[in-house]
Amino acid sequence: MLQGKTALVTGASRGIGRSIALELARQGADVALVYAGNEEKAQATKAEVEALGVKANTYRCNVADFDATKELVARVIEEMGGIDILVNNAGIVRDGLVLSMKEVDFDQVIDVNLKGAFNMIKHTYSHFMRKRKGRIINITSVIGLSGNAGQANYASAKAGLIGLTKSVAKELAGRGVTCNAIAPGYIATDMTDALSDKVKETMEAAIPMKKAGAPEDIAYTAAFLASDGARYITGEVIRVDGGLAM
Ligand code: NAP
């Protein structure tokens, strides 16, 4: 399905990003794996992707850093021959009620989860325009649709990411580039493993399907959005949440 394409996936060392990288590779895409600092996990994902018979390179880069992301995109285009699919998946949480939330916790979450996606889109924009083809997939969250007590920073970033998705979709639609978002619900990864068993149980009980999703559930949707079958879909937000936010 994606033979001959190159995908850049941020946050590809672990969790949902790792799964997306593997699924895109399974469909035939070469993958640029971007991570923040977890060298060991990034190398493990690279080996798994390569075992699928495609090319994989790892790139350590903080997506919140405007200049670093500019260099990253230039390097990936040079070393991998271009970018066809951009997946903005890197994300962090710094939870707390607004009353106790530190300014730095608000800023960091906005910088990584929202500005990080802007940086990556900004630096790939003219590349996609020139190609008159491309796929941008942003990983938002159901929290960006509903808000959540204790996650004002995260909800703001993820809601902002939906606005960014729709704006970019409108800007690039005439150029053959689609931009869509996936809104995962509760997915079992390191990010959610930090929650207490009681919180996990409460969350699972609230999900109509009564269980957490797997990273692969997001990866299958990302692979579809990257495929030719999704060529007429843009500016869409697809919930993959077992019915949680319906
Ligand atoms: P995760 O397991 O915590 O993995 C986070 C990934 O992001 C890692 O690869 C990490 O790299 C990378 N990363 C973090 N900060 C970065 C930065 N500044 N620059 C570059 N890379 C950075 O998270 P996850 O659960 O897979 O979540 C992936 C995405 O899905 C996030 O955007 C998250 O908000 C969203 N999401 C998750 C859930 C869920 O239930 N898990 C639900 C809704 C939405 P290192 O390994 O190098 O640290």
Side-chain angles (χ1 to χ4, degrees):
M1 215 157 67
L2 301 176
Q3 212 108 35
K5 309 262 188 224
T6 299
L8 186 162
V9 182
T10 69
S13 47
R14 297 183 275 132
I16 292 171
R18 169 185 164 276
S19 249
I20 292 173
L22 285 169
E23 188 55 31
L24 297 180
R26 226 168 262 128
Q27 303 296 333
D30 293 334
V31 193
L33 307 158
V34 179
Y35 65 105
N38 201 327
E39 182 68 35
E40 202 178 310
K41 291 274 171 77
Q43 289 305 329
T45 306
K46 175 178 155 71
E48 286 180 283
V49 170
E50 284 173 339
L52 294 165
V54 297
K55 180 173 171 177
N57 283 355
T58 55
Y59 299 90
R60 182 176 181 156
C61 179
N62 175 8
V63 295
D65 184 328
F66 186 82
D67 294 335
T69 50
K70 188 174 181 181
E71 271 175 46
L72 165 74
V73 168
R75 262 188 75 196
V76 172
I77 290 172
E78 194 188 318
E79 293 174 7
M80 305 205 57
I83 300 168
D84 303 288
I85 302 154
L86 167 66
V87 183
N88 289 309
N89 163 80
I92 57 168
V93 284
R94 298 282 184 273
D95 295 351
L97 298 173
V98 171
L99 188 66
S100 56
M101 187 177 286
K102 295 194 185 78
E103 185 185 5
V104 66
D105 294 334
F106 189 87
D107 289 347
Q108 277 182 0
V109 169
I110 297 289
D111 282 352
V112 175
N113 298 12
L114 177 56
K115 193 172 167 240
F118 167 76
N119 289 342
M120 296 302 300
I121 291 169
K122 165 89 182 156
H123 299 314
T124 48
Y125 197 98
S126 54
H127 180 70
F128 283 135
M129 272 179 62
R130 273 195 300 275
K131 280 175 105 96
R132 301 192 73 86
K133 223 176 176 186
R135 292 294 155 88
I136 302 169
I137 300 163
N138 297 321
I139 307 302
T140 178
S141 167
V142 291
I143 302 302
L145 298 168
S146 63
N148 196 22
Q151 291 197 302
N153 49 2
Y154 186 78
S156 303
K158 293 300 189 182
L161 195 50
I162 293 172
L164 178 66
T165 300
K166 293 183 178 182
S167 304
V168 172
K170 286 186 173 174
E171 288 186 21
L172 289 175
R175 297 281 182 155
V177 181
T178 69
C179 182
N180 291 289
I182 301 174
Y186 168 33
I187 309 295
T189 67
D190 291 349
M191 186 178 273
T192 46
D193 198 39
L195 300 168
S196 71
D197 287 346
K198 192 168 179 334
V199 171
K200 285 182 195 165
E201 273 169 34
T202 310
M203 281 174 63
E204 281 174 4
I207 299 168
M209 286 190 177
K210 299 293 172 209
K211 61 177 182 188
E216 293 75 25
D217 294 320
I218 310 306
Y220 298 140
T221 307
F224 166 64
L225 287 173
S227 75
D228 279 348
R231 66 188 176 189
Y232 202 55
I233 300 174
T234 197
E236 188 54 273
V237 182
I238 302 182
R239 286 188 297 107
V240 182
D241 66 350
L244 178 63
M246 114 176 108

